Amino acid sequence: MFDNIVKNRFWFLKALETYSLAIYFIIKRSTGIFDWDHSPLAVLDDPPFIFLLAVVGTIALVFALWDIKYLYYKQIMTGTLTFVWLAFFLSFLANDALLCVYFSFPGIYSFFVLVGIVAEIKWE
């Protein structure tokens, strides 16, 4: 298993980053400090979407740990990761536009994660 983590360290880190996004929304929701009443983030911070973030992170973690080679698992994993991070990047971007902020930290973070995923898919 350790050899698979070394081999798939990029996808292991992306799984952890996806979990960190879920933890970010859990912390924001538990503190009650919302700055996104009328943005797409008002929908994406609900518990079903946080659960889906954990599911996508688990899909990536399973690939990183066991290096599954059948049933198009890697394509499904990269597709779901890309979709999730693109959706949240666009939501953070819309939220920043509504708040008249250039870029917030979550927006920059999701942008670099998304660029890293796309770059890894393209130049793998």
Side-chain angles (χ1 to χ4, degrees), residues 30-93:
S30 67
T31 59
I33 302 171
F34 300 117
D35 56 352
W36 51 67
D37 288 334
H38 303 290
S39 75
L41 288 175
V43 175
L44 293 177
D45 75 334
D46 292 338
F49 289 102
I50 295 172
F51 177 74
L52 288 175
L53 274 173
V55 168
V56 170
T58 303
I59 290 170
L61 187 64
V62 166
F63 178 79
L65 294 178
W66 286 286
D67 199 26
I68 299 171
K69 299 268 189 212
Y70 56 93
L71 296 176
Y72 299 105
Y73 193 86
K74 186 173 183 181
Q75 289 84 355
I76 292 170
M77 184 239 353
T78 56
T80 56
L81 275 175
T82 305
F83 174 75
V84 162
W85 282 100
L86 179 63
F88 279 95
F89 169 66
L90 293 175
S91 298
F92 284 127
L93 198 64

